[in-house]
Amino acid sequence: LRWLGSALTPFLIGAALAYLGTPVVNRLQVRRVPRAVSTLLVIVFIGFLLAALFFVLIPLVQSEIVTITRRVPDLFAQFTARVAPILEEKFGVTLALDFDSIRDFVTENAQEARDLSVKLLSGVKTGGAIVLTVLVNLALIPVVMFYLLRDWNMLLDRLDDLVPLRWRPKVRTVALEVDGVLAEFLHGQLLVMLALAIYYVIGLSIVRLDHALAIGILTGVLVFIPYVGFGLGFMLGMLAALLQWHGWPGFLAVLSIYGIGQLLENYVLVPLLVGD
């Protein structure tokens, strides 16, 4: 497993996604949809969801980078206007910055960074190998998913045949309990993600934050990673507020939205939908 880890990764991801999609395929099969067709529909649907998330993330990151490069000199100016008098009064330090030079420096380096990234992606062999590996994995995962989803019940029967006869009742009982708990957890977690995504989109839209839809959806989707998902969404929201507004009201509004969202997640949604 240690030696074959990189090769087994797409198979592991495909198996996990196939496990998630099996109940849907079974229900479609009960409704007389051919298993191969239902398998293909589930794969297309999962691929559509992942692609939609990807296309939400890319424009958000691009827009934030462009806005940051434009607003950095203004942020320096605000910082100097507020901090310079305090430094001069308390410590006798005079702070002076040439904002035109800063603006030119940021613009030039941003353009150089874009040019360098293009050169690295086009010219470095390791970069090409990484891209090739990613493409191969992306091509393998749906293929693995298709065969596992289509033959899932047959694979379970074969695994059941491998279990010694006297152990089968206990193994089946434990497997059904594990499957039931996992299903309940996944259903609850998906409902938490959906509810929080709706909450953050509505809350950030009310305060008229730029990219409220993208930031709200990403925050809701990423909450399945404890602390990391909320922290990343909070950073995106505060960064967007920093780039959009000058005063405190906007920051306090975004801060209150994320604070209420954290309380809602930890004390209402997770105990109700996942804990029970």
Side-chain angles (χ1 to χ4, degrees):
L1 287 176
R2 180 165 59 86
W3 292 336
L4 297 176
S6 59
L8 292 177
T9 299
F11 293 91
L12 181 62
I13 297 173
L17 293 175
Y19 174 75
L20 295 177
T22 296
V24 181
V25 174
N26 290 338
R27 290 180 183 179
L28 291 174
Q29 190 177 16
V30 169
R31 296 184 178 183
R32 297 183 179 180
V33 179
R35 191 166 183 90
V37 175
S38 58
T39 296
L40 190 59
L41 291 175
V42 169
I43 292 174
V44 170
F45 179 71
I46 293 176
F48 174 77
L49 289 180
L50 295 176
L53 179 63
F54 187 69
F55 286 117
V56 165
L57 180 61
I58 287 180
L60 173 63
V61 173
Q62 284 182 334
S63 177
E64 292 289 340
I65 291 175
V66 171
T67 307
I68 288 172
T69 57
R70 291 176 181 173
R71 286 291 311 279
V72 163
D74 296 333
L75 294 175
F76 271 117
Q78 294 176 30
F79 175 79
T80 304
R82 295 179 180 180
V83 175
I86 299 175
L87 292 177
E88 189 170 357
E89 180 182 353
K90 299 291 185 181
F91 305 101
V93 177
T94 302
L95 187 64
L97 294 174
D98 185 357
F99 298 111
D100 293 332
S101 299
I102 293 175
R103 184 179 290 105
D104 296 338
F105 175 79
V106 171
T107 304
E108 291 174 2
N109 282 274
Q111 184 62 41
E112 290 179 4
R114 285 193 289 267
D115 295 341
L116 180 62
S117 62
V118 171
K119 290 179 181 178
L120 287 174
L121 288 175
S122 61
V124 179
K125 293 182 179 180
T126 55
I130 292 172
V131 172
L132 181 61
T133 302
V134 171
L135 292 177
V136 170
N137 287 340
L138 289 177
L140 268 177
I141 289 171
V143 174
V144 172
M145 274 185 66
F146 178 82
Y147 285 105
L148 288 177
L149 274 172
R150 191 192 66 176
D151 301 332
W152 189 267
N153 295 330
M154 183 187 71
L155 291 171
L156 289 183
D157 292 338
R158 296 287 179 86
L159 290 173
D160 190 63
D161 291 339
L162 294 175
V163 179
L165 192 60
R166 65 182 183 277
W167 294 351
R168 284 183 191 175
K170 185 63 176 177
V171 170
R172 289 171 182 171
T173 301
V174 173
L176 287 174
E177 289 178 357
V178 171
D179 182 64
V181 171
L182 278 177
E184 292 172 356
F185 171 76
L186 291 171
H187 291 160
Q189 192 63 53
L190 288 173
L191 288 174
V192 170
M193 292 161 58
L194 178 62
L196 287 175
I198 294 173
Y199 163 77
Y200 283 116
V201 168
I202 293 175
L204 296 176
S205 299
I206 289 175
V207 300
R208 298 182 178 179
L209 182 71
D210 291 341
H211 314 295
L213 178 64
I215 294 174
I217 291 175
L218 284 174
T219 305
V221 169
L222 293 175
V223 294
F224 76 93
I225 310 173
Y227 304 108
V228 176
F230 171 81
L232 183 59
F234 178 74
M235 288 174 56
L236 287 173
M238 295 305 293
L239 179 61
L242 175 67
L243 297 174
Q244 181 177 348
W245 296 309
H246 298 285
W248 286 103
F251 286 100
L252 294 177
V254 174
L255 185 63
S256 62
I257 288 171
Y258 276 92
I260 295 171
Q262 186 74 350
L263 293 174
L264 184 67
E265 176 188 355
N266 290 332
Y267 294 101
V268 179
L269 294 176
V270 171
L272 181 66
L273 299 174
V274 180
D276 291 344

